[in-house]
Amino acid sequence: MSQTLQLLHADAFLPTEAEVQRLSLANDADPRDADLSGITVIELNFPKFSDGRAFSQAFLLRRRLGFTGQIRASGDVLIDQLVQMQRSGFTQAVLRADQNLAHGQALLAHYPTFYQGDAVHTAPHFATA
């Protein structure tokens, strides 16, 4: 079973972590250059829904850098992107104001498992049985 992606709505979202524990990375920044000391939340921005560089950043943070804290998607986040966000290592998604949280939850529930491994569960489904 994949890790659950927490959905938040842009209109009601306020970060709960201290600002010194949060790192916001521009989508053209290399996460390998960031100092992650004391960081518990990394916020990755989607300036446009069609710009997927934050997916690569999340994957790098999880798989290569071993980051275990929260990875939050912000910006132009649509429910269409949620499954890939979850599989890339995101733990939170702040949905754009016009997006429906219930529809996003239903979409995530529709795909409970995947044949291939991903950023969080690297083994393929057939190897975990």
Side-chain angles (χ1 to χ4, degrees):
M1 184 60 108
S2 291
Q3 165 181 338
T4 303
L5 181 66
Q6 180 184 13
L7 301 184
L8 308 158
H9 203 266
D11 287 344
F13 175 71
L14 291 173
T16 57
E17 70 281 348
E19 194 171 331
V20 297
Q21 294 176 309
R22 180 176 58 246
L23 174 66
S24 294
L25 286 179
N27 69 343
D28 60 351
D30 188 340
R32 295 171 293 189
D33 296 336
D35 179 9
L36 302 179
S37 305
I39 300 298
T40 60
V41 177
I42 298 176
E43 191 167 278
L44 301 177
N45 187 28
F46 287 82
K48 297 187 296 186
F49 76 90
S50 60
D51 187 337
R53 291 180 282 183
F55 290 115
S56 299
Q57 290 174 313
F59 195 85
L60 264 172
L61 286 161
R62 289 283 182 230
R63 290 288 296 276
R64 289 202 183 158
L65 301 176
F67 182 73
T68 58
Q70 299 284 338
I71 299 179
R72 179 182 301 142
S74 65
D76 198 18
V77 178
L78 307 179
I79 63 170
D80 303 31
Q81 302 165 302
L82 296 178
V83 172
Q84 188 62 32
M85 283 180 182
Q86 183 169 286
R87 299 196 73 216
S88 298
F90 284 92
T91 54
Q92 297 179 327
V94 181
L95 295 175
R96 196 171 74 184
D98 66 344
Q99 299 296 290
N100 185 303
L101 287 175
H103 290 162
Q105 291 292 358
L107 178 69
L108 289 171
H110 188 71
Y111 300 100
T113 190
F114 296 92
Y115 191 71
Q116 316 90 335
D118 57 36
V120 178
H121 302 287
T122 58
H125 183 66
F126 64 83
T128 60

